[in-house]
């Protein structure tokens, strides 16, 4: 009997929760704010769904309700991706400067 | 690009996201981690373009929206002051939530594009997955908006409570489940819209009863929600990058909520059910009698610290509000020149979000190896001469250990009372967020410095010379 692909995705999901659990506990408390901003940025990988929606149109009908929602989602997720990674970078840069000072 | 090949690349970008979080285990590896995160994102986006391979009509619009969003995001990231990080993160959470809702709507209206069937005949499993993604996304969105407004001060931080609140929330929660059930049975659009509306309402009602002091928990919790919303969408799109990322973010937010709750010795449910900060206020005002307080000026403080051999700085949110972190660093520099040992002690809930105080100190060029967490430093207070408490209050209150009646009883505190002398920079004797009086103010070895944190610190610097 063949296994439903859903089960594979479920396995990935469950194992990722465990990975997340152990990885996040290893994050030093002083970097908890960058942790939040970077998780924010990576959760915006949801943009892949938005791109699929945006690209699903043909040339006669670029703007239908579905693709408009897709475009809007691309816009929102892009704010998050750029904003999230850059603000994280900015914060982490501050943690670096001091090492040089010493 | 074949479906199998793109799936492998999605998996790869998921692994890069894991490494991005792993990098944060130390400041040294953190920047490399962030780079891995960016790389993972670039791979995921590129693979999506290539796997669809439709570069004709919509492509240019996709790029335009991507670019505009990116510019807006970059602009915000460079402009935002570090004190506003909590609002920024809350705002970003709301965007993730809304994006999840929009993607779910797109998939619902145009399921062919996602290989999920045709309108009115969507696979049941996909329908359940996208409904869950949409519902959690909507809750995240409206909840984060409220959190943003409260943190920004546009909305009062005091909890809004009314009778039957929890009952209504429960009812809304049940109706979400019922709606998903009927949606699967009928495939009717109107059920889908109702589902989103009710979820939006639930997100709103979940956050309004939670007080300003509990915001660190709320932000972490919404962080977690945004992850679970991504998981729902990830299952719908059968995309492993999304599933992995969502699970990482979901557990990250959950762990941070747990750490924050522990920092306040409150159970998660106690925070969620809300109302903290409103009921306790009455408690402090009635038991208040006039007790003698020793207050001093910058000169006294400078004298005390100059003659100390070790000083522990305890910064709190008040320091951030007064923007005193740079002045504080100047003061510490002078002290260090005089051969005085300096350490910073940070309580888990010192800021408005997890790790907030660390970032503010980092911004003021405080080396991270001088900054210590509660467990690391608590034994050092007894061997130190001066504790310099600036803008913190509740986290030093010994009542948390001794007074079983106190609302903060059981909360882990920084043992500043064990220092030889304690300096409190504070604007007045008013109680902190928890609304409890701090008996430390009235101790013999405590010197109160009533002033704005920044002005006082600057004056101390002058007096140290």
């Amino acid at each position: 009997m063949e296994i439903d692909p859903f089960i594979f995705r479920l396995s990935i999901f469950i194992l990722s929760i465990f990975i997340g659990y152990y990885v996040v506990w290893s994050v030093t408390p002083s970097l908890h704010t960058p942790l939040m901003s970077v998780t924010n940025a990576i959760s915006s990988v949801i943009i892949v769904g938005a791109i699929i929606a945006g690209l699903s149109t043909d040339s006669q009908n670029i703007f239908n309700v579905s693709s408009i929602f897709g475009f809007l989602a691309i816009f929102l997720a892009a704010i998050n991706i750029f904003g999230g990674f850059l603000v994280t970078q900015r914060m982490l840069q501050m943690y670096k400067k001091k090492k040089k000072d010493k | 690009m074949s479906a199998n090949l793109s799936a492998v690349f999605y998996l790869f970008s998921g692994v890069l996201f894991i490494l991005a979080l792993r990098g944060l285990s130390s400041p040294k590896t953190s920047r490399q981690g962030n780079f891995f995160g960016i790389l993972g994102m670039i791979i995921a986006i590129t693979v999506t373009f290539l796997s669809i391979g439709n570069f004709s009509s919509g492509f240019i619009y996709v790029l335009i929206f991507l670019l505009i969003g990116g510019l807006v995001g970059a602009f915000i990231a460079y402009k935002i002051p570090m004190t506003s990080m909590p609002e920024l993160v809350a705002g970003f959470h709301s965007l993730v939530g809304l994006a999840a809702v929009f993607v779910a709507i797109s998939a619902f209206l145009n399921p062919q594009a996602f290989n999920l069937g045709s309108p009115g005949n969507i696979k049941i499993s996909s329908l359940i997955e996208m409904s869950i993604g949409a519902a959690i996304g909507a809750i995240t969105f409206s909840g984060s908006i409220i959190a943003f407004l409260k943190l920004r001060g546009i909305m009062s931080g005091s909890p809004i409570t009314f009778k039957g609140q929890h009952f209504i929330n429960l009812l809304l929660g049940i109706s979400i489940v019922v709606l998903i059930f009927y949606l699967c049975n009928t495939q009717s659009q109107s059920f889908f819209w109702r589902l989103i509306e009710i979820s939006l309402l639930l997100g709103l009602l979940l956050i309004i009863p939670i007080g300003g002091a509990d915001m660190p928990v709320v932000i972490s919790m919404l962080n977690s929600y945004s992850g679970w919303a991504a998981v729902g969408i990830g299952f719908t799109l059968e995309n492993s990058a999304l599933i992995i990322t969502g699970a990482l973010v979901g557990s990250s937010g959950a762990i941070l909520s747990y750490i924050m709750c522990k920092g306040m010795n409150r159970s998660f449910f106690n925070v969620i059910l809300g109302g903290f900060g409103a009921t306790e206020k009455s408690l402090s005002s009635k038991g208040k009698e006039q007790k003698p307080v020793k207050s001093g000026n910058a000169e006294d403080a400078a004298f005390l610290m100059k003659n100390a051999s070790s000083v522990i700085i305890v910064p709190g949110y008040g320091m951030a509000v007064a923007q005193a972190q740079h002045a504080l660093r100047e003061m510490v520099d002078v002290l260090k020149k005089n051969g005085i040992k300096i350490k910073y002690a940070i309580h888990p809930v010192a800021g408005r979000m997890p790790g907030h105080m660390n970032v503010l100190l980092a911004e003021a060029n405080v080396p991270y190896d001088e900054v210590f967490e509660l467990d690391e430093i608590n034994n050092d207070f007894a061997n130190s001469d001066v504790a310099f408490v600036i803008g913190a209050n509740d986290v030093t209150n010994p009542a948390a250990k001794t007074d079983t009646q106190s609302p903060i009883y059981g909360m882990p505190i920084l043992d500043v009372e064990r220092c030889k002398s304690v300096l409190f920079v504070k604007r007045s004797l008013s109680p902190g967020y928890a609304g409890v009086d701090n008996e430390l103010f009235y101790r013999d070895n405590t010197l109160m410095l009533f002033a704005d944190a920044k002005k006082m610190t600057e004056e101390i610097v002058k007096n140290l010379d």
Side-chain angles (χ1 to χ4, degrees):
Chain A
M1 203 179 105
E2 223 173 306
I3 299 170
D4 190 318
F6 173 81
I7 301 300
F8 287 117
R9 286 190 286 278
L10 190 67
S11 324
I12 293 176
F13 173 58
I14 303 288
L15 291 176
S16 301
I17 292 178
F18 278 92
I19 294 173
Y21 180 84
Y22 289 107
V23 169
V24 171
W25 273 117
S26 77
V27 171
T28 163
S30 67
L31 291 176
H32 275 163
T33 298
L35 171 68
M36 293 197 94
S37 60
V38 86
T39 51
N40 224 307
I42 63 173
S43 59
S44 302
V45 72
I46 206 158
I47 198 169
V48 301
I51 294 174
I52 296 174
L55 287 182
S56 64
T57 55
D58 51 56
S59 45
Q60 282 91 42
N61 187 16
I62 293 175
F63 291 103
N64 55 51
V65 186
S66 166
S67 74
I68 288 173
F69 275 112
F71 290 136
L72 288 177
I74 291 172
F75 172 69
L76 298 175
I79 296 179
N80 244 318
I81 292 171
F82 282 75
F85 280 125
L86 288 173
V87 88
T88 309
Q89 194 66 24
R90 212 181 120 199
M91 278 190 272
L92 296 178
Q93 216 62 33
M94 294 168 184
Y95 283 83
K96 181 167 128 196
K97 264 185 276 168
K98 279 136 299 148
K99 269 278 126 165
K100 271 189 191 157
D101 279 2
K102 288 196 97 187
Chain B
M1 194 182 267
S2 82
N4 283 332
L5 188 59
S6 46
V8 171
F9 274 110
Y10 282 133
L11 184 64
F12 183 51
S13 80
V15 172
L16 285 170
F17 290 148
I18 296 173
L19 292 176
L21 300 195
R22 183 77 187 94
L24 291 172
S25 57
S26 123
K28 286 185 204 97
T29 55
S30 58
R31 278 177 306 282
Q32 190 193 34
N34 200 39
F35 171 73
F36 283 143
I38 296 171
L39 192 66
M41 188 61 73
I42 293 172
I43 291 175
I45 292 175
T46 316
V47 168
T48 311
F49 280 131
L50 293 178
S51 65
I52 300 172
N54 173 6
F55 293 103
S56 55
S57 48
F59 182 65
I60 190 79
Y61 289 98
V62 170
L63 281 190
I64 289 173
F65 280 95
L66 190 66
L67 211 69
I68 301 175
L71 283 175
V72 173
F75 179 76
I76 297 172
Y78 281 110
K79 280 283 163 197
I80 194 90
M82 284 300 138
T83 36
S84 305
M85 275 313 291
E87 292 105 287
L88 179 77
V89 169
F92 277 172
H93 287 156
S94 74
L95 297 183
V96 179
L98 194 58
V101 174
F102 284 175
V103 173
I105 293 175
S106 292
F108 183 74
L109 295 177
N110 186 8
Q112 295 103 319
F114 296 86
N115 264 329
L116 306 174
S118 55
N121 192 20
I122 302 170
K123 279 188 282 180
I124 296 297
S125 58
S126 309
L127 205 52
I128 297 174
E129 289 154 5
M130 73 173 81
S131 308
I132 294 173
I136 304 177
I139 292 172
T140 312
F141 171 66
S142 57
S144 301
I145 294 283
I146 301 293
F148 175 84
L149 293 176
K150 282 192 174 188
L151 285 162
R152 195 85 228 177
I154 298 169
M155 201 174 141
S156 153
S158 57
I160 299 165
T161 46
F162 53 87
K163 264 219 170 87
Q165 195 161 23
H166 306 313
F167 181 69
I168 290 177
N169 289 347
L170 185 70
L171 220 58
L172 289 176
I174 293 171
S175 56
I176 287 176
V177 177
V178 173
L179 276 172
I180 294 179
F181 179 77
Y182 278 106
L183 178 65
C184 292
N185 267 339
T186 62
Q187 303 256 351
S188 147
Q189 273 205 26
S190 66
F191 282 122
F192 189 69
W193 300 123
R194 289 301 91 70
L195 174 70
I196 292 174
E197 286 163 15
I198 290 187
S199 306
L200 286 172
L201 184 64
L202 180 60
L204 200 110
L205 290 176
L206 276 176
I207 306 303
I208 52 166
I210 304 180
D214 287 334
M215 276 304 145
V217 183
V218 172
I219 298 190
S220 317
M221 191 178 83
L222 291 166
N223 186 236
S224 182
Y225 285 1
S226 69
W228 304 129
V231 170
I233 303 297
F235 271 102
T236 320
L237 306 182
E238 315 188 337
N239 184 311
S240 52
L242 251 175
I243 297 176
I244 295 174
T245 317
L248 290 179
V249 177
S251 44
S252 161
I255 291 172
L256 291 176
S257 322
Y258 169 78
I259 294 174
M260 290 299 107
C261 285
K262 225 180 78 187
M264 297 189 287
N265 187 42
R266 307 192 41 210
S267 79
F268 189 65
F269 284 103
N270 185 286
V271 174
I272 299 307
L273 294 179
F276 189 74
T279 43
E280 326 290 358
K281 286 247 160 63
S282 53
L283 213 143
S284 63
S285 48
K286 74 170 181 233
K288 211 173 198 176
E289 74 242 55
Q290 286 296 318
K291 282 180 269 183
V293 177
K294 275 210 292 187
S295 80
N297 56 25
E299 213 177 312
D300 305 329
F303 177 79
L304 255 173
M305 282 196 275
K306 232 179 184 170
N307 291 300
S309 63
S310 58
V311 174
I312 297 181
I313 315 265
V314 181
Y317 190 66
M319 178 202 76
V321 174
Q323 291 284 331
Q325 58 269 40
H326 296 277
L328 182 68
R329 223 274 311 229
E330 264 178 63
M331 184 188 92
V332 167
D333 283 348
V334 179
L335 290 174
K336 271 201 236 166
K337 254 181 229 151
N338 290 317
I340 298 160
K341 269 189 277 170
I342 304 284
K343 282 177 178 172
Y344 295 83
I346 295 194
H347 192 274
V349 291
R352 278 291 170 276
M353 71 184 289
H356 191 199
M357 204 50 63
N358 302 77
V359 172
L360 293 172
L361 290 178
E363 189 193 16
N365 283 324
V366 172
Y368 59 79
D369 44 16
E370 287 176 14
V371 181
F372 295 90
E373 304 297 320
L374 182 116
D375 318 336
E376 299 169 323
I377 201 162
N378 240 354
N379 288 326
D380 294 359
F381 281 107
N383 311 321
S384 296
D385 299 318
V386 177
F388 186 75
V389 185
I390 176 165
N393 179 4
D394 290 335
V395 298
T396 63
N397 195 339
K401 283 185 175 170
T402 51
D403 181 6
T404 48
Q405 299 300 309
S406 173
I408 60 168
Y409 179 72
M411 178 171 109
I413 57 158
L414 291 161
D415 289 330
V416 296
E417 54 168 336
R418 283 156 67 193
C419 262
K420 286 199 193 84
S421 43
V422 182
L423 295 169
F424 261 101
V425 184
K426 229 177 157 296
R427 258 175 306 193
S428 68
L429 275 181
S430 65
Y433 255 108
V436 258
D437 208 13
N438 193 341
E439 57 171 281
L440 265 187
F441 298 166
Y442 314 105
R443 295 260 175 104
D444 274 345
N445 60 345
T446 302
L447 189 66
M448 299 298 294
L449 307 165
F450 293 115
D452 173 75
K454 191 177 173 191
K455 275 193 203 123
M456 176 53 75
T457 315
E458 282 167 351
E459 267 179 54
I460 293 175
V461 175
K462 274 183 217 149
N463 279 290
L464 278 173
D465 291 329

